[in-house]
Amino acid sequence: MSPKAEISLAHNGRVRITTFNVWTSWKISLLLMLRYGFFRWGTYIPPITDEAIHPSYYRLKLKIHAGWDSWCGYDWLAENEATDNFLKFFYQKHFKK
């Protein structure tokens, strides 16, 4: 059984994958970098209150924002329509039962 992750639409209408499981967050991160060729760039802002901002993932025209907050857990948010499609594919391949 795959670790728990959920896919939904964020408030801005973009696709978002979320999980509260730290091991699932590592799985997603490692898959994005090692299997799909994303690199990370940006500033890490630690969780001083109830949210953190992690470096984003980049590959060609794809950009995925990453972060953590106490309400949603770890999350990966698409930047554009191409990234929406990629995250849908990614979720279906790695987390759909």
Side-chain angles (χ1 to χ4, degrees):
M1 181 174 154
S2 294
K4 182 77 170 146
E6 296 180 359
I7 190 167
S8 62
L9 290 180
H11 295 292
N12 65 358
R14 294 287 171 213
V15 172
R16 176 174 76 168
I17 295 177
T18 60
T19 184
F20 277 101
N21 186 303
V22 68
W23 300 113
T24 302
S25 74
W26 275 94
K27 176 183 177 179
I28 292 170
S29 182
L30 291 172
L31 282 169
L32 288 172
M33 291 184 298
L34 299 177
R35 182 170 290 175
Y36 294 100
F38 282 83
F39 69 93
R40 298 188 78 178
W41 185 261
T43 304
Y44 171 68
I45 300 174
I48 296 170
T49 56
D50 63 349
E51 65 183 24
I53 297 174
H54 295 256
S56 295
Y57 296 83
Y58 295 89
R59 188 185 89 188
L60 301 174
K61 294 184 179 185
L62 302 178
K63 181 177 179 183
I64 303 170
H65 300 288
W68 173 87
D69 71 48
S70 60
W71 293 97
C72 298
Y74 299 94
D75 64 334
W76 295 264
L77 177 66
E79 168 75 16
N80 53 40
E81 187 176 346
T83 311
D84 284 340
N85 294 331
F86 172 79
L87 284 181
K88 288 175 189 175
F89 160 80
F90 180 84
Y91 181 81
Q92 289 284 44
K93 181 166 175 100
H94 298 287
F95 293 99
K96 194 68 174 173
K97 295 177 185 176

